[in-house]
Amino acid sequence: MSKIPVLEIFGPTIQGEGRVIGRKTMFVRTAGCDFRCSWCDSKFTWDGSMKEEIQMMTADDIFESLQRIGDARFDHVTISGGNPALIAGLQSFIDLCESKQIKTALETQGSFFKPWMRQIDDLTISPKPPSSGMKQNLDILDDVIRQCVQESINLKVVIFDEQDYEFAKIIHHRYPKIPFYLQVGNPYLEDEVDAHTSKLLSRYENLVQMVMDSSDMNDVYVLPQLHTLLWSNQKGV
């Protein structure tokens, strides 16, 4: 059985982002990413700073860990990263979750497709805006979206500035039939941030106002990063 590079398994907690915001879930965080976003809040998945913490685990290993940590208190697992779409070996884990009637969620930037992504119940595709420092290839994004189950997809763009907002407009109007979420960015990534919640809420209010004033962003949802409001930049929640 293929092994999967895992950095964290934790929960139950709540999903803080995308269409399933507020959903009770467990998290499995994989290592590795093809992007190097400037504001990434999980740089430890790709910058080598926690490479000694990576565990190569089978699907059974992961599920046993989920049960040991979460007991019977979960029926939903979020696969996070990094970019889990790099990992072909996740097929066996997705199959195992299906066999146990456990629903799955995934977030990816839409730079790679794997067949197992068609089995994900809540698939968030999050193209990266200009503030990330990355160049999103929209032709590849088109191809990834085309191959996924349309009913499971939602699109999310993180917003830090007006350039990001203009990018979000492009994405929304490129795929107008896919549920679209705007999420305020978190530029405060220190371990401890004074008045973090109030700072984030102020940025969220500004993004809400931006959307309210726009005539071409009507069919959208505007979200905070819920777990950050609750727990700041703490890992493992």
Side-chain angles (χ1 to χ4, degrees):
M1 186 179 290
S2 297
K3 292 197 173 182
I4 299 158
V6 176
L7 268 169
E8 292 184 299
I9 298 175
F10 61 90
T13 183
I14 57 165
Q15 173 57 254
E17 307 180 0
R19 180 166 62 190
V20 287
I21 189 169
R23 175 64 155 98
K24 183 180 180 182
T25 190
M26 296 289 288
F27 270 84
V28 175
R29 188 183 301 281
T30 61
C33 193
D34 50 318
F35 277 20
R36 300 291 185 268
C37 295
S38 61
W39 36 252
C40 178
D41 60 3
S42 304
K43 288 183 178 180
F44 61 90
T45 63
W46 50 262
D47 68 2
S49 61
M50 290 184 65
K51 63 182 179 181
E52 303 301 325
E53 305 296 319
I54 297 171
Q55 298 183 65
M56 298 304 298
M57 304 177 73
T58 66
D60 288 336
D61 292 336
I62 296 171
F63 204 84
E64 286 170 9
S65 291
L66 287 167
Q67 289 185 309
R68 185 176 66 254
I69 297 165
D71 195 26
R73 295 174 293 139
F74 73 97
D75 65 359
H76 188 276
V77 174
T78 298
I79 304 163
S80 186
N83 183 9
L86 297 173
I87 304 170
L90 276 167
Q91 180 69 67
S92 56
F93 178 66
I94 302 301
D95 290 342
L96 182 57
C97 286
E98 280 193 346
S99 73
K100 303 286 188 180
Q101 288 79 53
I102 301 295
K103 292 187 178 296
T104 52
L106 172 78
E107 179 169 329
T108 177
Q109 58 262 43
S111 54
F112 282 89
F113 172 79
K114 294 290 187 294
W116 55 259
M117 289 166 61
R118 296 195 187 100
Q119 296 168 250
I120 298 291
D121 297 288
D122 302 305
L123 177 57
T124 297
I125 297 180
S126 183
K128 302 311 177 191
S131 64
S132 70
M134 298 291 102
K135 178 70 172 177
Q136 186 83 40
N137 186 317
L138 297 187
D139 291 333
I140 292 176
L141 182 62
D142 287 344
D143 190 55
V144 169
I145 288 175
R146 178 185 58 78
Q147 295 183 79
C148 291
V149 176
Q150 299 305 294
E151 291 77 14
S152 72
I153 298 175
N154 70 97
L155 283 162
K156 186 194 78 179
V157 175
V158 178
I159 307 296
F160 282 84
D161 54 36
E162 290 188 9
Q163 275 190 305
D164 290 353
Y165 189 66
E166 292 304 314
F167 173 81
K169 288 182 182 180
I170 291 169
I171 298 298
H172 178 42
H173 294 291
R174 191 178 183 95
Y175 314 101
K177 295 183 179 180
I178 299 177
F180 191 80
Y181 294 80
L182 296 166
Q183 182 179 291
V184 68
N186 172 23
Y188 317 108
L189 298 178
E190 299 83 8
D191 289 339
E192 294 188 18
V193 183
D194 290 337
H196 199 186
T197 296
S198 61
K199 288 176 179 176
L200 291 174
L201 285 174
S202 177
R203 293 178 64 85
Y204 178 53
E205 184 176 10
N206 290 339
L207 178 57
V208 167
Q209 191 60 54
M210 197 180 298
V211 173
M212 296 307 100
D213 291 340
S214 178
S215 62
D216 54 358
M217 291 288 269
N218 293 338
D219 189 14
V220 302
Y221 301 83
V222 190
L223 300 180
Q225 197 178 40
L226 187 57
H227 60 286
T228 308
L229 293 179
L230 291 171
W231 298 300
S232 190
N233 294 325
Q234 185 178 340
K235 293 199 294 288
V237 291

